[in-house]
Amino acid sequence: MDKGEIVTYIQEVLRYTLFNDTTQNNEYIIKLTQHGIIFVPVYPITYVVDEKFYNKLFSILSMALMPKYTLIRPLTMQVITLPERPASEQRGLFFPMIQGQANRLQCNFSQLIQLFHQTGEIPLMDIVSWDYIHSPHAIVTGVSGSGKSYFMKTLLAICSVIGETVVVDPKASDLARMTRTRPASRAIIPDFTNRAQQGINNQFLNKVIAKMKELETEMYHRQGLLFTQSKKISTDYRELGLKPIFLFLDEVGSLTIGATKTMRDDFQRTLTKLILLGRESGVYTVMSMQSARAEYIPTIVKDSISLRVQLGRLNSENTRFLFPELTDMPIVPLGGNGTGIVSIAGDSRYAGIQPIATPTIIGD
């Protein structure tokens, strides 16, 4: 369909679904741009334009246009100005979208890493990638069986090629074992040999905090070098020829189980500093947990993480912790394990929440 046909189709879709009174369909215009749809109210109007109206309009269009177009759920209501139009039409509601649907990558690790070298970004889907430099830090949530651990392994495989990786794995499971074959990777795991201090406990958390404080010291060292050696106003660790450091925190919710309040507070303070100050120095944090509850990570930490991924079953109860701005559930096509929703803050290409199907690794 050409632009005119799409606009006509949208008008037909909205004719009986948006308003109770069909005469109100004469009170708006639909404009199609390269990057989205603009709903232009033609004032005076007999309906109220607010966030509830915006969300309803998004839900109708999202279902009606898939799979030819994928609407991206904005984090807030998007209002744009149209100064070239008559006074009654100089503002509109914008809905970002992409043509077609992003598809799951199915490849081996070598091909995935090759995609990274081609773009300098970590591939998530065929047309979606993570620019970790400008959109730092990541959090992945999901219940057991959602594909969360598999996705963390995929991210670790790529990040261990990009720079150094430090893995905190309370289960001493897949992530920890992967570091054995990656020279620039280190793993911190509980002591399973000492029966008196076995498993996740204060001693293990103390080891974790000590390593995080080492990274904090390195972060400050790099910032000092940038201040003394760089003549640029805007710069980062790459000017010094340094590689990034990725801290992987697996199952964050389990790290502070049974910990004293003093240790738990120390962990959260150190994590907050790494998240808030790490971008320029190239110290990035990638964490996973079943639910991004405030008792596990401070709200200021969660709000400062650019890449947010929730996998598995979606409902208002489990999404509100990671995506508090969502007032209704987005439409996610069925696609098996590793499917859910993603948002990448700071990247205008993905200005909102959209479906994700994480890579399937073949032959590795």
Side-chain angles (χ1 to χ4, degrees):
M1 292 191 294
D2 60 24
K3 279 189 176 183
E5 291 174 322
I6 296 170
V7 168
T8 299
Y9 170 68
I10 291 174
Q11 290 170 332
E12 291 173 349
V13 166
L14 296 180
R15 182 164 293 125
Y16 299 105
T17 57
L18 188 60
F19 302 114
N20 294 324
D21 183 353
T22 56
T23 62
Q24 293 174 305
N25 285 284
N26 298 319
E27 299 176 7
Y28 70 86
I29 296 169
I30 298 294
K31 285 178 59 65
L32 199 65
T33 73
Q34 183 179 355
H35 301 293
I37 298 168
I38 304 175
F39 177 94
V40 184
V42 181
Y43 284 84
I45 57 176
T46 57
Y47 53 91
V48 177
V49 176
D50 56 12
E51 192 167 3
K52 182 179 179 180
F53 179 86
Y54 184 87
N55 291 336
K56 180 180 180 180
L57 186 52
F58 175 87
S59 297
I60 295 169
L61 295 177
S62 180
M63 177 64 79
L65 291 170
M66 66 182 298
K68 188 174 182 61
Y69 294 95
T70 299
L71 263 66
I72 300 174
R73 174 66 164 82
L75 300 179
T76 58
M77 184 169 73
Q78 302 289 299
V79 180
I80 63 172
T81 58
L82 305 165
E84 75 285 355
R85 300 185 70 86
S88 61
E89 305 170 10
Q90 288 189 350
R91 75 292 304 157
L93 301 178
F94 180 69
F95 299 90
M97 71 178 184
I98 58 174
Q99 188 165 2
Q101 289 181 299
N103 298 306
R104 187 194 298 270
L105 289 168
Q106 299 192 41
C107 56
N108 57 38
F109 276 136
S110 298
Q111 292 169 323
L112 205 61
I113 292 165
Q114 186 178 10
L115 288 174
F116 162 76
H117 287 306
Q118 289 172 359
T119 64
E121 300 179 1
I122 296 176
L124 303 179
M125 298 180 70
D126 60 346
I127 57 173
V128 179
S129 57
W130 175 31
D131 180 358
Y132 62 92
I133 294 172
H134 298 102
S135 299
H137 314 301
I139 182 170
V140 182
T141 67
V143 298
S144 297
S146 62
K148 176 175 82 268
S149 297
Y150 191 93
F151 184 43
M152 287 289 283
K153 288 191 295 181
T154 303
L155 292 177
L156 177 59
I158 302 173
C159 291
S160 62
V161 172
I162 300 171
E164 298 179 40
T165 54
V166 176
V167 173
V168 175
D169 187 349
K171 300 176 295 185
S173 189
D174 294 10
L175 289 183
R177 288 191 286 267
M178 283 180 68
T179 64
R180 296 173 181 172
T181 58
R182 287 162 171 78
S185 295
R186 292 163 287 169
I188 301 172
I189 62 173
D191 184 355
F192 294 109
T193 60
N194 185 347
R195 292 187 178 182
Q197 292 288 335
Q198 200 172 49
I200 303 171
N201 50 41
N202 282 335
Q203 188 179 38
F204 172 60
L205 183 57
N206 191 51
K207 287 167 56 179
V208 173
I209 294 172
K211 176 54 69 174
M212 292 170 66
K213 288 184 182 297
E214 285 183 24
L215 294 178
E216 181 187 354
T217 299
E218 173 64 16
M219 178 180 72
Y220 293 143
H221 173 66
R222 292 182 172 201
Q223 288 176 323
L225 290 177
L226 285 170
F227 184 78
T228 57
Q229 296 184 17
S230 176
K231 292 181 172 56
K232 297 180 180 179
I233 300 296
S234 298
T235 187
D236 59 38
Y237 66 98
R238 292 172 295 171
E239 185 184 351
L240 301 174
L242 297 172
K243 290 187 175 182
I245 302 171
F246 296 91
L247 170 63
F248 277 74
L249 296 172
D250 196 25
E251 297 296 350
V252 172
S254 69
L255 292 177
T256 56
I257 292 177
T260 64
K261 184 179 185 304
T262 300
M263 293 192 70
R264 186 166 58 248
D265 290 346
D266 196 12
F267 170 77
Q268 293 194 345
R269 276 195 305 269
T270 308
L271 177 62
T272 301
K273 286 184 280 189
L274 290 175
I275 293 291
L276 296 183
L277 305 175
R279 186 197 69 80
E280 194 173 274
S281 58
V283 178
Y284 304 114
T285 302
V286 180
M287 65 181 76
S288 77
M289 61 186 66
Q290 292 204 6
S291 178
R293 296 175 180 271
E295 58 261 38
Y296 301 144
I297 56 170
T299 300
I300 190 173
V301 168
K302 184 169 55 180
D303 291 346
S304 301
I305 294 174
S306 297
L307 174 63
R308 292 184 287 171
V309 179
Q310 180 162 345
L311 301 177
R313 182 172 56 89
L314 303 178
N315 56 46
S316 58
E317 176 63 25
N318 60 22
T319 57
R320 66 187 175 92
F321 296 110
L322 194 57
F323 299 99
E325 59 276 355
L326 267 183
T327 56
D328 53 0
M329 289 301 100
I331 296 170
V332 180
L334 295 176
N337 286 351
T339 59
I341 54 178
V342 60
S343 73
I344 309 177
D347 194 325
S348 59
R349 296 172 299 175
Y350 320 114
I353 299 168
Q354 65 184 92
I356 186 173
T358 59
T360 296
I361 306 303
I362 301 171
D364 283 294

